[in-house]
Amino acid sequence: MTSTTRSNAKMTATPATRVLGVLAIAATALMAVLGLFISPADVIQGEAVRMLYLHVPSIWIAYGAFVLTSVSSILFLRARKRREDQGRHYDRLAGSAAEVGVVFTGITLITGMLWGKVTWGTYWQWDARLTTTILLFVTYLGYLALRRLPADPMVRSQRAAVMALISFINVPIVHYSVDWWRTLHQKASLSVGRRPEITGEMYWTLLYSTLAVTIVATWLMIHRYRVIRLEELRDEEALAALISSRLKNDDGSN
Amino acid sequence: MSEVTTVVTGWGITFIIVATYSMWVVSRGKIIGQELGIGEMEQADPGKDADATTDL
């Protein structure tokens, strides 16, 4: 590893990310207070409505993360032959966003299943929304698996970028599945251009929860991005050491 | 399962997942940083505030 890359590696952590981490913890604590104690129970769903403040922000964050993955993948494919770093920055951004998106899709599925047991009487139903969501989870898990396959880093990144774009096709299908098909799942609680399904304290608690989860997800993405960068540096160092060792052996045998 | 049990379970599992994933990311960054000797460089030069670990 060159002194330049080490120098860059040392510049990855800033006091700003520490502030963001503390802010994420404080925001999450306030979210729990608002969601569990301040916000009222629903007339129909009772206490179970408190799952809303986890379930809905989680899938919104997952959508956002997958949008970021797709945009970064496009930028990577465009920049890979032109930029000095071969677009590695965009590839790392895509990988970190996808992983955070998968975590929040998983949370969406788990909270949805628990919520469904109380309101629908079953944990799972193969209806359009649930089926497309589990498909979304599995395809992005596949994307993450593809990123770990042993191959030339640039080739692997190109394949992953193409898969990210293919996987993204399912995101709008998941979102509009409740409008396009008859499903057990209710319509969107909040939607652009449509009157909100909830109002008052529930509405504001949901918006605040989305903000809090966004802060947490941002902190996670920044740190995951750094870890991917460190993994690349480690792999480059290992490769350099292997080549150096091979050259020494060749010199010794000649 | 009652409504309250469902809510407690859902929030509990969510916090466990996020906390576990956060700790995994931070610890992985620290381990790789140490493998690369970045953490050692940091100790040798404590005057600088930036490092490559993933602390808060």
Side-chain angles (χ1 to χ4, degrees):
Chain A
M1 184 167 52
T2 65
S3 58
T4 310
T5 53
R6 268 194 195 280
S7 162
N8 287 343
K10 279 174 72 65
M11 289 173 2
T12 55
T14 63
T17 57
R18 290 188 169 89
V19 172
L20 188 65
V22 173
L23 192 64
I25 293 169
T28 308
L30 182 58
M31 173 185 154
V33 171
L34 289 172
L36 292 173
F37 304 108
I38 307 290
S39 176
D42 185 56
V43 176
I44 299 167
Q45 295 198 22
E47 298 293 336
V49 78
R50 299 183 194 286
M51 298 298 280
L52 175 81
Y53 310 123
L54 294 175
H55 184 72
V56 175
S58 294
I59 195 63
W60 284 349
I61 292 302
Y63 287 162
F66 296 144
V67 167
L68 185 57
T69 301
S70 301
V71 172
S72 301
S73 297
I74 292 168
L75 292 173
F76 166 74
L77 290 172
R78 283 168 56 100
R80 71 187 195 279
K81 288 179 182 169
R82 284 183 291 174
R83 283 169 56 111
E84 193 184 341
D85 69 345
Q86 297 179 302
R88 303 296 301 165
H89 161 70
Y90 297 120
D91 179 57
R92 287 180 215 126
L93 198 56
S96 55
E99 195 170 286
V100 172
V102 165
V103 169
F104 280 97
T105 307
I107 289 171
T108 303
L109 287 166
I110 292 169
T111 53
M113 286 167 69
L114 289 165
W115 199 3
K117 180 64 179 168
V118 176
T119 53
W120 305 334
T122 179
Y123 286 110
W124 190 263
Q125 187 78 32
W126 290 102
D127 85 335
R129 171 57 73 86
L130 276 67
T131 306
T132 52
T133 307
I134 192 87
L135 189 64
L136 186 76
F137 181 69
V138 172
T139 50
Y140 276 96
L141 269 182
Y143 167 82
L144 294 177
L146 184 61
R147 292 185 63 88
R148 288 176 177 270
L149 285 179
D152 175 77
M154 281 306 289
V155 173
R156 185 176 53 204
S157 298
Q158 285 174 44
R159 288 173 182 164
V162 172
M163 185 170 176
L165 296 177
I166 294 169
S167 303
F168 186 74
I169 294 169
N170 195 20
V171 171
I173 296 174
V174 173
H175 184 70
Y176 290 108
S177 59
V178 289
D179 297 321
W180 292 346
W181 294 287
R182 288 181 65 188
T183 67
L184 192 59
H185 196 283
Q186 68 182 58
K187 303 272 184 204
S189 302
L190 296 179
S191 191
V192 177
R194 202 158 62 191
R195 199 169 153 220
E197 296 284 327
I198 56 169
T199 54
E201 287 170 327
M202 286 184 185
Y203 175 80
W204 290 110
T205 304
L206 178 59
L207 286 189
Y208 173 77
S209 299
T210 305
L211 175 69
V213 176
T214 304
I215 295 170
V216 173
T218 305
W219 182 88
L220 284 168
M221 276 184 217
I222 291 170
H223 284 272
R224 190 65 186 102
Y225 176 98
R226 290 176 185 163
V227 173
I228 292 173
R229 192 175 176 203
L230 288 173
E231 287 167 345
E232 287 173 2
L233 292 175
R234 183 188 58 182
D235 292 346
E236 285 168 17
E237 193 168 74
L239 184 64
L242 194 66
I243 291 169
S244 172
S245 161
R246 180 71 62 86
L247 288 173
K248 276 181 190 168
N249 286 342
D250 289 350
D251 286 346
S253 62
N254 288 335
Chain B
M1 198 186 282
S2 73
E3 289 170 4
V4 173
T5 311
T6 300
V7 170
V8 170
T9 307
W11 280 72
I13 289 173
T14 301
F15 279 117
I16 289 168
I17 291 172
V18 173
T20 306
Y21 179 62
S22 304
M23 285 189 286
W24 177 78
V25 171
V26 170
S27 63
R28 187 161 172 79
K30 282 183 176 172
I31 289 167
I32 299 173
Q34 282 169 0
E35 282 177 22
L36 291 168
I38 292 169
E40 291 159 24
M41 287 171 69
E42 186 65 19
Q43 285 174 359
D45 190 6
K48 295 188 178 177
D49 63 352
D51 59 63
T53 61
T54 54
D55 294 305
L56 281 176

